[in-house]
């Protein structure tokens, strides 16, 4: 994707471009810049793009958790995990650069092995060794195939759903009905819309404008908390 | 050149590939220390004679190779195509393996954040890395390590000659405007585009 | 040894195979007569120094090779490499071929998830597997099968005697029994046959 080796490479580029502190990443800012970057890059290489989308989802996840009152610790943990990965990858790039310098332009030439009279293999093995080796090679094989590009078509449809629009939508509905069925809020709509709705909901909860019912089934409007968004 | 050195030179010559000092010791029925000593003087002797090849010491193994300055004429005569320089991705994978071996492909991908299987396959095929074993961890994944060709390519005799890892470190970016920045409370900044 | 002779020696060294005098002449931009003359004196010089290798002249082509009297010591040193027991990776490739033959290299790599071309080449060279056919699928890839040497080495007379791998499915996991999870080092299984 573009000239980037991967999403970590892209993030390091953004961090350095915007003079951010790698030890204190500002997730919201980074997410916004990262999304803009992905927008700029061509979306032709879908397989590579999947890794970039995964990182986008991860940044959204961290940001989302940071908005939840009781999940700040978890958000901080995930954020420092990402920081660790970025630092590790930055070191990896520095080592790669050092190796590039060490590579000598003039190679040594070596000889092919001089033909020798063959002596037969002298060891004997038990056939059960083969069965074990076969199991080792096949038995715990991991599914390595990346998901087919088609699976990402829906995601890369690129519909922009502003969170603010979903906040207005939720407040409008709540003003009329005072409470809404939690699941109904997420019914239908595209994935990006549902994610935006979810973040909007988190925003409203954090701001104390709405709350969830005891059984988590309903969203309830906190009276007197309407004005600021009207 | 004494008789033992003559034999050692013959073995290195015929082998082509790097050969362990222990194997030379066994074949010649002498100690490893003797082998190392004999190779040192043999090496000096070859260079005094201005021979076009030299003895390389690569991770405990010895290999005969032509001197670097002769590479252009050999390339021309044997019509060898110059190997394409290693790509950034290949160098990154080599860096991870060199400093952490034995390492699994999963580890490499974790550090780089991208699928690296084709690069690992390519480096294996070119002989810079090789399977060393399966690790004794669940799933028994295959682990990779670097080869003598890796050492030769980067002009070192031993992994300990790799640049000190502590000389590499994350550079903190200037923190001028980090103070005011935490979660923006303006919802318009959170437009989502998935 | 002058500079031209040094270059010729380097080219012969790196080539391994016989190389035509005309090719040397072209690479060095001298005449064929000059090449022949230079090689004659080079040959004398090598033998005066009692070098363990010499220049062979065969049908207009030159080749560097070790002197005949050194063959036994070279064999002694290099045979240990050839006689080394099969590695874990080799056993796996062999098992995949044995249970699925005829199989292509692509199939082997798909099962193992790593490039296995050098292992396949090595097993072919050792005579455990051979090309059996080209498969009747697009690209007509080469397929490999096991040889009689393979059967002998594993003590079976027929492929039908291969143990059912699934009867071993209750294999010790590495964390339970690491010793057994590696290749058996049971000395009984490694007895030399000679």
């Amino acid at each position: 994707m573009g000239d980037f080796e991967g999403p970590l490479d892209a993030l390091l580029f953004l961090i350095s471009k915007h003079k951010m502190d790698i030890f204190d990443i500002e997730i919201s800012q980074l997410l916004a810049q990262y999304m803009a970057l992905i927008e700029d890059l061509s979306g032709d290489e879908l397989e590579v793009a999947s890794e970039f989308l995964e990182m986008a989802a991860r940044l959204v996840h961290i940001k989302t958790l940071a908005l939840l009152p009781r999940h700040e610790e978890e958000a901080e943990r995930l954020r420092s995990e990402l920081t660790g990965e970025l630092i590790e990858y930055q070191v990896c790039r520095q080592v790669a650069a050092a190796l590039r310098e060490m590579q000598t332009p003039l190679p040594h030439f070596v000889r092919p092995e001089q033909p020798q009279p063959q002596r037969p293999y002298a060891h004997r093995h038990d056939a059960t060794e083969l069965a074990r080796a076969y199991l080792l090679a096949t038995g715990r094989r991991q599914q390595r195939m990346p998901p087919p590009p088609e699976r990402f078509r829906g995601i890369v449809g690129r519909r922009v759903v502003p969170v603010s629009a979903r906040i207005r939508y939720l407040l409008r509905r709540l003003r009329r009905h005072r409470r809404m069925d939690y699941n109904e809020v997420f019914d239908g709509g595209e994935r990006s819309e549902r994610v935006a709705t979810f973040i909007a909901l988190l925003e409203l909860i954090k701001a104390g404008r709405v709350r969830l019912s005891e059984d988590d089934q309903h969203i309830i409007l906190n009276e007197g908390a309407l004005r600021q968004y009207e | 050149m004494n008789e033992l050195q003559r034999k050692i030179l013959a073995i290195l010559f015929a082998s082509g590939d790097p050969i362990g000092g222990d194997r030379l010791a066994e074949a010649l029925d002498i100690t490893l220390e003797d082998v190392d000593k004999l190779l040192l003087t043999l090496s000096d002797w070859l260079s005094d004679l201005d021979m076009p090849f030299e003895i390389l010491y690569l991770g405990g193994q010895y290999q005969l190779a032509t001197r670097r300055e002769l590479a252009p004429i050999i390339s021309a005569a044997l019509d060898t195509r110059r190997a394409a320089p290693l790509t950034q991705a290949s160098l990154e994978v080599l860096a991870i393996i060199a400093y952490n071996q034995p390492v699994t492909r999963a580890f490499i991908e974790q550090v780089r954040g991208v699928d690296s299987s084709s690069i690992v396959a390519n480096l294996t095929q070119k002989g810079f890395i090789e399977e060393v074993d399966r690790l004794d961890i669940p799933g028994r994944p295959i682990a990779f390590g670097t080869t003598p060709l890796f050492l030769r390519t980067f002009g070192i005799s031993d992994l300990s000659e790799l640049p000190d890892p502590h000389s590499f470190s994350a550079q903190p970016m200037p923190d001028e405007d980090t103070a005011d920045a935490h979660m923006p409370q303006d919802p318009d900044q959170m437009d989502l585009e998935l």
Side-chain angles (χ1 to χ4, degrees), chain A, chain B:
Chain A
M1 186 135 188
D3 289 330
F4 295 110
E5 289 294 338
L8 290 175
D9 197 20
L11 288 181
L12 284 179
F13 166 78
L14 291 173
I15 286 169
S16 119
K17 183 182 168 200
H18 296 283
K19 298 192 166 43
M20 277 187 250
D21 181 1
I22 195 171
F23 293 105
D24 188 18
I25 307 166
E26 176 38 71
I27 291 288
S28 297
Q29 203 184 335
L30 194 59
L31 173 60
Q33 287 157 358
Y34 184 74
M35 289 314 226
L37 185 74
I38 289 186
E39 169 83 349
D40 286 347
L41 297 170
S42 144
D44 291 344
E45 303 159 60
L46 283 182
E47 202 183 320
V48 183
S50 72
E51 283 153 340
F52 282 78
L53 287 171
E54 205 177 298
M55 179 59 77
R58 197 170 151 195
L59 292 173
V60 170
H61 180 60
I62 299 176
K63 178 176 167 160
T64 305
L65 283 178
L67 293 170
L68 284 165
R70 272 166 312 197
H71 291 75
E72 278 149 349
E73 248 174 59
E74 170 80 349
E76 189 45 41
R77 191 182 62 76
L78 293 178
R79 193 176 73 119
S80 40
E81 206 173 272
L82 179 64
T83 303
E85 285 173 34
L86 284 169
I87 290 170
E88 192 173 37
Y89 182 63
Q90 195 182 46
V91 170
C92 167
R93 283 202 317 192
Q94 288 170 340
V95 176
L99 286 180
R100 189 193 294 285
E101 292 303 308
M102 288 164 67
Q103 217 178 339
T104 44
L106 295 176
H108 289 288
F109 276 82
V110 296
R111 285 176 57 76
E113 188 181 339
Q114 190 167 279
Q116 299 288 316
Q118 270 275 38
R119 269 216 273 157
Y121 186 74
H123 302 278
R124 285 294 170 268
H125 295 267
D126 195 279
T128 57
E129 278 183 57
L130 275 180
R132 283 165 210 250
Y134 189 70
L135 275 184
L136 208 46
T138 62
R140 305 189 188 99
R141 168 170 33 146
Q142 283 169 358
Q143 183 54 263
R144 305 220 99 263
M145 292 293 160
E150 295 80 51
R151 202 181 292 174
F152 294 97
R153 289 256 157 76
I155 308 177
V156 286
R158 288 162 195 267
R159 214 192 108 189
V160 177
V161 181
V163 172
S164 52
R166 298 311 288 169
I167 288 181
R168 280 192 290 272
Y169 163 79
L170 286 175
L171 286 174
R172 218 172 25 242
R173 290 279 309 267
L174 282 168
R175 227 156 47 106
R176 220 173 298 147
H177 307 287
R178 299 294 149 191
R179 65 161 55 206
M180 286 169 70
D181 186 86
Y182 180 87
N183 291 312
E184 188 194 310
V185 171
F186 296 100
D187 272 353
E190 287 179 15
R191 185 189 165 116
S192 54
E193 185 176 301
R194 295 201 299 273
V195 174
T197 304
F198 182 63
I199 294 185
L201 187 58
L202 295 175
E203 274 285 316
L204 288 170
I205 292 173
K206 193 175 189 196
R209 286 166 197 129
V210 304
R211 65 177 190 275
L212 286 184
S213 61
E214 299 267 296
D215 58 1
D216 288 344
Q217 291 304 306
H218 292 90
I219 301 161
I220 303 167
L221 181 70
N222 286 335
E223 301 293 339
L226 285 178
R227 253 113 270 144
Q228 301 145 71
Y229 266 96
E230 298 303 300
Chain B
M1 184 169 57
N2 64 29
E3 192 52 30
L4 279 172
Q5 287 172 319
R6 189 166 179 262
K7 285 178 176 168
I8 289 175
L9 192 55
I11 294 167
L12 293 183
F13 181 94
S15 165
D17 291 331
I19 187 166
D22 49 347
R23 292 246 310 277
L24 292 170
E26 199 188 317
L28 299 165
D29 200 17
I30 54 177
T31 67
L32 184 56
E33 289 73 44
D34 287 340
V35 167
D36 291 340
K37 244 180 277 173
L38 286 167
L39 273 154
L40 216 58
T41 50
L42 181 58
S43 189
D44 288 343
W45 186 74
L46 291 177
S47 107
D48 287 346
L49 280 171
D50 207 19
M51 277 290 183
F53 44 78
E54 61 188 319
I55 296 168
L56 304 180
Y57 181 72
L58 306 165
Q61 302 196 305
Y62 293 98
Q63 185 174 31
L64 266 185
T66 58
R67 290 187 194 273
R68 287 221 159 96
E69 74 266 19
L70 290 159
I73 186 73
I74 297 170
S75 291
L78 301 184
D79 204 20
T80 51
R81 219 169 297 134
R82 273 197 65 162
L86 291 163
T87 62
Q88 173 66 20
S90 298
L91 287 166
E92 286 180 10
V93 170
L94 280 177
I96 296 165
I97 297 176
Y99 282 90
N100 300 285
Q101 54 192 309
V103 297
T104 63
R105 204 165 48 193
F107 181 86
I108 296 164
E109 295 182 350
Q110 195 192 319
V111 174
R112 296 191 66 232
V114 283
D115 180 89
S116 304
S117 49
S118 65
I119 296 159
V120 168
N122 184 265
L123 289 171
T124 310
Q125 220 163 32
K126 286 183 175 160
F128 290 111
I129 58 172
E130 64 188 354
E131 279 184 67
V132 286
D133 208 349
R134 284 186 181 269
L135 289 193
D136 259 344
I137 56 175
R140 312 257 355 238
I142 291 172
F144 296 87
T146 54
T147 62
L149 173 63
F150 167 83
L151 298 174
R152 182 148 62 83
T153 305
F154 292 97
I156 55 177
S157 287
D158 197 279
L159 289 173
S160 64
E161 291 174 29
L162 283 170
D164 179 7
H166 300 298
S167 63
F168 303 104
S169 60
Q171 276 123 31
M173 310 283 174
D175 51 355
E176 314 157 349
D177 44 20
T178 45
D180 60 329
H182 257 89
M183 289 293 146
Q185 294 304 310
D186 177 3
D188 276 332
Q189 282 188 9
M190 310 214 303
D191 287 358
L192 262 199
E193 183 213 337
L194 285 181

